Amino acid sequence: MGNIDLPVHDKNSRLWRHRVRIAILIVFWGVLVPDLHAWYDKVHTLVILEAVRLLQRTDQTRIVPFYKEIAEPRFLKKLGMGAWAEDHQPAVRGNERSFRHYYDPDAAEGQRGCPFYYHYYVWGPIENAKVAKPVSGWYDGARDWALNDIKTGNILNWAGAISAYDYTDESKEVAYFRLGHVGHLLADMSESDHALNIPHPGSGKIIPDTLEEVFGEPILRRIDANLSYIPYLPDALKYLLALDYAILKSLFIGKGPEDKWIGYEGLIENSVDFGAVQEYFMEDDLTAGGMGYVRKPRIGNPPEPMIAGNEVERFATPEEFFDELARLTKRATALAGLTAALGCADLEGFMDNRFFPTLRLLHEPIYIIPTIRMTNEEDTGRHYALAWDLLKKAVEYDAGLFELFLDVVNPPPYVRSLSLVQGSKGRYERELSDVTVDREIEPANRFYPSERESYPVVSKREWVLPDEADFVTGERVDVTIAFGPVSGARSKPIDPNSVVVKIGGQLVSGRLADGGTWEGSFVPELPEGVSQRDFNIEIAAKDIYDHYPRPGLPESGYELDAEPESPAKSTFRPPYNWDHYNPGADRNHTIRVKREEEKREEEEPAEEREPREPTAPADPPARTAFLIWIDKCGEGPGGRIHAGSQGEFESKLRCCDEWLFGKSQNYVSKQRISGPFATLADAIKEGCGMISEAGYRNVLGWGAVPYASMGGVTYLLDEDLAGACIKKDSP
């Protein structure tokens, strides 16, 4: 740097002291600007990935994995992108986002975020950034910024993610991108300075590597271009630049290339290999300089981050996640014997203690000088140990917050399609089709080229109505039910013990097959003297995934949506009540059953025949007979006592098609024990007289199961016998 002629002024005047103060602020804001945020891009992305991996490991311990969706590649990519994007654009209400990344839950009300300092104004002309003083003098805390859209005007947050989450994959991409922002803000609570509201611009810097970028020719050109309208300031600033450059440069004369000072966040960011997170960074989203930063090779041989979580942390509300992690971080920092700002010295304190005791012009702290010596293993080791412990907690808290989010937005199940087929005769098929509309994202709320300008949401559903044909009595009808919604290629998982299907009042036996569809069968019958009747179909089922507990609605979200034409959706503010959700059994379908007529052989043309001897008149056609029998699969005593028509008794049913009898491909064996009877009521009455000790027992995996004893052997009962034979006060 060349010689600079400084104009002569009265250095004791208020104007001179004021200008020098501004000059010092501007000098060091060249370092300060990029570094108000906490953990850097690679660290934040890695925390998100580790949180999802912890969810996956936890899911493997469950019978059904609850949280698979978040790990799907297209959604995980958006989640990771949202995590690093929170440190960048877009600005909201006149300020950059990173001012809102601080939160001390124990500070006074209204002062729980980052305090405003006047030297922030320097950011504008130097970096073309957005800076405005908040009315209260304090910025929104990270908790409000992450959760409160009304107070902050931010939609890249919790409420925005819930609002965006819908039934389409495109809407879920937007939701997970916004949820990534929330995960970033929660992880910031594991950084000591952010939990104590202490801005630390030097935390990501390395001295002497950044001396030229802060004090060199580029900064001088920006001074001339942006500050020439202020009298005397550019010259004063250049003078101070030369002074500071010389002082800091002298500290490293004769030092080896490995002898560097680094801030706490820079130390931890340096430990993350870009290859571990690079697929979550889009070339078009970051500037060339930004991509160059995240791709920068690691210095030395830093340890790999040891931050894999052990156990998912859960709290009842998202606010508790922020409060508890911030308090935990403050306690851990104190126990480690470290003080904020970690790995940084205050500018005035550093200069005052070493060089210029009289140069006390500032009244605002600027923690800008990195102080961790990379060659000091004891010093780096203390900071690594604290970071690994707290980042592991960030992983566990993020995982719990993601679970809570998915519990809130998890939509109720509904009957997506229904098919009843009776060979070449009866047929009834219905399927719901989604109708979507585009929801626009306002330009002020998007910044990156990879972001969508709009995304489709489901506004309603309509039934697709193919041809149908009436059913006949005495022949088997195959029933298939698919539940919605579908995520990717996966149908909504249903609790297998919750499905109850009744057709015409008759309980239909069946089971959930692979792929989430329910398959069963029944044989329709009509009472004597009735030629046809409409059979109402009633379907009840429950979601196997968790739902957020809504006040006064303990089962809300688990039960089927009885009116699925209007899609159910959670509101995005507490208590997250449902819109357009009517829980209960699906009763939207009816079929018609007719009595099967006797088949007659076609008469041949009359021929002259010899007269025959008179014979007795032929017997009339046999009426439908009803029987009592025992269904069994496999050896051993027991089985199920069943009352039904002779046609049902003679029909074939595989064990795997009957939920009571497992997955065997063998046919159910049927042992007739009584009948025939003229009516089903007669058969049921006889059956009740044959059994004893009838009641219900709770069986693990099945729930309440009807049973009875007969001849010293315990049997299951079918629904008709259970309803007639078991007294209401039976256990």
Side-chain angles (χ1 to χ4, degrees):
M1 300 178 66
N3 296 326
I4 301 173
D5 294 325
L6 186 66
V8 178
H9 296 282
D10 181 3
K11 298 185 179 181
N12 293 318
S13 70
R14 176 183 291 183
L15 178 60
W16 170 258
R17 291 197 302 272
H18 178 68
R19 286 171 176 166
V20 172
R21 181 183 303 176
I22 293 176
I24 292 174
L25 295 174
I26 294 179
V27 169
F28 288 96
W29 196 258
V31 183
L32 173 65
V33 170
D35 300 320
L36 264 179
H37 45 69
W39 307 116
Y40 283 74
D41 299 339
K42 292 187 295 183
V43 172
H44 272 299
T45 307
L46 184 61
V47 168
I48 294 295
L49 297 180
E50 288 293 347
V52 173
R53 288 165 186 159
L54 176 57
L55 287 180
Q56 289 179 298
R57 292 195 298 273
T58 305
D59 257 358
Q60 290 174 358
T61 66
R62 300 184 175 106
I63 297 176
V64 176
F66 284 7
Y67 303 107
K68 286 180 65 174
E69 180 183 274
I70 197 171
E72 292 182 14
R74 66 186 297 178
F75 302 144
L76 182 57
K77 188 177 185 69
K78 289 296 183 180
L79 191 71
M81 291 173 62
W84 65 254
E86 173 57 30
D87 271 334
H88 304 282
Q89 297 288 347
V92 175
R93 292 184 177 173
N95 282 288
E96 301 296 327
R97 308 184 71 83
S98 54
F99 287 120
R100 285 74 159 236
H101 290 193
Y102 296 79
Y103 174 65
D104 182 353
D106 303 311
E109 183 69 31
Q111 299 179 8
R112 294 177 180 167
C114 176
F116 173 81
Y117 293 125
Y118 281 95
H119 61 260
Y120 293 171
Y121 281 130
V122 183
W123 194 350
I126 295 296
E127 290 286 336
N128 193 30
K130 304 293 185 182
V131 181
K133 181 182 177 181
V135 175
S136 68
W138 301 79
Y139 288 102
D140 299 315
R143 193 185 82 171
D144 283 345
W145 184 244
L147 307 177
N148 192 329
D149 62 306
I150 296 177
K151 179 180 178 181
T152 64
N154 181 30
I155 71 163
L156 298 176
N157 66 359
W158 178 262
I162 296 174
S163 175
Y165 192 96
D166 201 76
Y167 294 89
T168 67
D169 285 349
E170 294 85 353
S171 71
K172 293 176 184 178
E173 287 184 6
V174 175
Y176 282 118
F177 179 74
R178 295 176 180 179
L179 184 63
H181 285 256
V182 184
H184 172 124
L185 292 165
L186 179 56
D188 276 352
M189 297 301 93
S190 70
E191 207 280 10
S192 307
D193 299 345
H194 283 252
L196 290 163
N197 283 344
I198 299 177
H200 45 264
S203 194
K205 294 301 180 181
I206 303 174
I207 298 294
D209 295 21
T210 57
L211 278 175
E212 296 299 331
E213 80 176 57
V214 177
F215 303 106
E217 291 298 325
I219 203 76
L220 296 179
R221 287 195 296 269
R222 278 190 283 178
I223 290 171
D224 288 332
N226 293 288
L227 301 176
S228 59
Y229 63 93
I230 304 176
Y232 310 113
L233 184 57
D235 290 336
L237 180 52
K238 292 176 184 179
Y239 174 80
L240 288 169
L241 279 171
L243 178 63
D244 294 323
Y245 179 86
I247 292 170
L248 292 171
K249 188 79 170 179
S250 68
L251 294 176
F252 290 90
I253 293 175
K255 303 291 185 182
E258 297 299 321
D259 196 354
K260 302 176 187 293
W261 293 356
I262 193 169
Y264 176 55
E265 291 172 2
L267 181 73
I268 307 309
E269 181 78 358
N270 185 60
S271 71
V272 180
D273 178 35
F274 180 62
V277 296
Q278 64 180 351
E279 66 179 290
Y280 302 96
F281 291 84
M282 303 293 287
E283 291 281 353
D284 294 337
D285 285 344
L286 281 177
T287 63
M291 286 302 293
Y293 176 80
V294 295
R295 284 177 167 159
K296 187 165 56 178
R298 293 187 290 179
I299 300 172
N301 296 298
E304 295 296 325
M306 296 179 290
I307 65 172
N310 296 323
E311 185 175 353
V312 177
E313 290 281 358
R314 285 295 300 258
F315 297 97
T317 66
E319 289 81 2
E320 291 177 82
F321 284 91
F322 283 81
D323 291 352
E324 295 304 317
L325 184 54
R327 291 186 175 117
L328 184 154
T329 296
K330 293 197 294 182
R331 292 194 301 268
T333 305
L335 288 172
L338 297 170
T339 56
L342 295 188
C344 286
D346 173 39
L347 168 62
E348 276 197 322
F350 181 82
M351 300 290 284
D352 190 30
N353 293 336
R354 291 168 173 78
F355 308 107
F356 298 103
T358 61
L359 192 63
R360 297 292 294 180
L361 301 175
L362 304 179
H363 299 285
E364 300 175 345
I366 305 179
Y367 292 98
I368 199 167
I369 309 296
T371 60
I372 302 173
R373 294 190 67 177
M374 297 188 71
T375 55
N376 187 331
E377 293 184 2
E378 180 181 356
D379 196 19
T380 57
R382 288 190 306 155
H383 288 88
Y384 280 134
L386 178 66
W388 300 158
D389 287 345
L390 291 177
L391 284 169
K392 181 180 294 185
K393 285 299 179 183
V395 166
E396 295 171 349
Y397 277 60
D398 262 347
L401 187 71
F402 295 161
E403 283 193 354
L404 182 65
F405 172 80
L406 290 169
D407 290 348
V408 170
V409 299
N410 180 22
Y414 63 91
V415 174
R416 182 168 54 88
S417 67
L418 174 64
S419 171
L420 289 84
V421 179
Q422 190 181 46
S424 60
K425 298 180 180 178
R427 179 173 293 275
Y428 180 94
E429 292 181 322
R430 295 288 187 274
E431 183 173 2
L432 278 172
S433 176
D434 290 340
V435 178
T436 63
V437 296
D438 273 353
R439 181 184 292 173
E440 183 181 359
I441 302 174
E442 294 182 3
N445 292 317
R446 49 184 165 84
F447 178 78
Y448 299 101
S450 65
E451 288 187 79
R452 295 179 175 277
E453 296 182 1
S454 64
Y455 56 94
V457 296
V458 177
S459 60
K460 62 180 180 178
R461 301 187 184 100
E462 296 177 344
W463 287 105
V464 178
L465 307 174
D467 293 337
E468 60 181 271
D470 293 339
F471 296 82
V472 298
T473 57
E475 294 189 23
R476 170 175 165 166
V477 177
D478 293 318
V479 183
T480 303
I481 303 170
F483 297 96
V486 174
S487 178
R490 295 183 297 107
S491 296
K492 183 74 166 179
I494 297 296
D495 182 351
N497 301 318
S498 70
V499 184
V500 177
V501 180
K502 292 183 179 180
I503 302 180
Q506 177 182 343
L507 185 67
V508 179
S509 60
R511 69 181 183 90
L512 280 172
D514 293 339
T517 58
W518 186 90
E519 298 174 356
S521 63
F522 77 108
V523 177
E525 298 293 349
L526 291 171
E528 185 176 356
V530 176
S531 60
Q532 68 177 32
R533 175 175 290 176
D534 289 342
F535 280 29
N536 295 323
I537 301 174
E538 180 179 322
I539 304 166
K542 290 185 178 180
D543 192 354
I544 201 169
Y545 283 177
D546 279 347
H547 286 263
Y548 181 81
R550 272 80 178 177
L553 302 170
E555 291 293 302
S556 186
Y558 288 93
E559 296 183 75
L560 285 181
D561 188 352
E563 299 178 11
E565 295 93 336
S566 55
K569 184 171 174 58
S570 172
T571 54
F572 53 87
R573 297 191 184 100
Y576 309 113
N577 287 325
W578 292 106
D579 275 341
H580 304 294
Y581 174 44
N582 296 281
D586 186 301
R587 299 183 177 90
N588 298 308
H589 308 277
T590 302
I591 61 171
R592 177 160 294 176
V593 176
K594 296 181 177 180
R595 186 176 297 282
E596 174 76 315
E597 297 181 359
E598 290 292 323
K599 298 179 181 179
R600 298 180 180 179
E601 295 182 3
E602 295 183 4
E603 296 182 359
E604 296 181 0
E607 296 181 0
E608 293 185 3
R609 297 182 179 180
E610 295 288 333
R612 295 184 178 180
E613 294 285 334
T615 59
D619 293 332
R623 294 178 178 176
T624 300
F626 296 89
L627 309 172
I628 302 173
W629 68 88
I630 296 174
D631 291 327
K632 288 184 65 175
C633 275
E635 302 296 329
R640 177 180 63 182
I641 304 175
H642 198 116
S645 68
Q646 185 168 349
E648 185 180 357
F649 174 75
E650 293 173 353
S651 66
K652 289 187 176 183
L653 179 69
R654 294 187 185 274
C655 296
C656 62
D657 292 331
E658 170 54 72
W659 66 276
L660 294 169
F661 298 136
K663 298 182 178 181
S664 171
Q665 294 292 323
N666 294 330
Y667 288 104
V668 176
S669 65
K670 301 178 181 182
Q671 178 186 351
R672 178 172 168 175
I673 57 176
S674 187
F677 301 95
T679 66
L680 179 60
D682 292 340
I684 291 173
K685 182 178 179 180
E686 175 68 15
C688 291
M690 299 170 64
I691 61 177
S692 61
E693 300 180 16
Y696 287 92
R697 289 179 180 173
N698 287 318
V699 179
L700 182 63
W702 287 1
V705 174
Y707 77 97
S709 294
M710 184 174 67
V713 178
T714 299
Y715 296 88
L716 298 172
L717 292 179
D718 71 9
E719 194 71 17
D720 290 327
L721 287 170
C725 305
I726 299 176
K727 298 179 181 179
K728 292 184 179 180
D729 58 353
S730 297

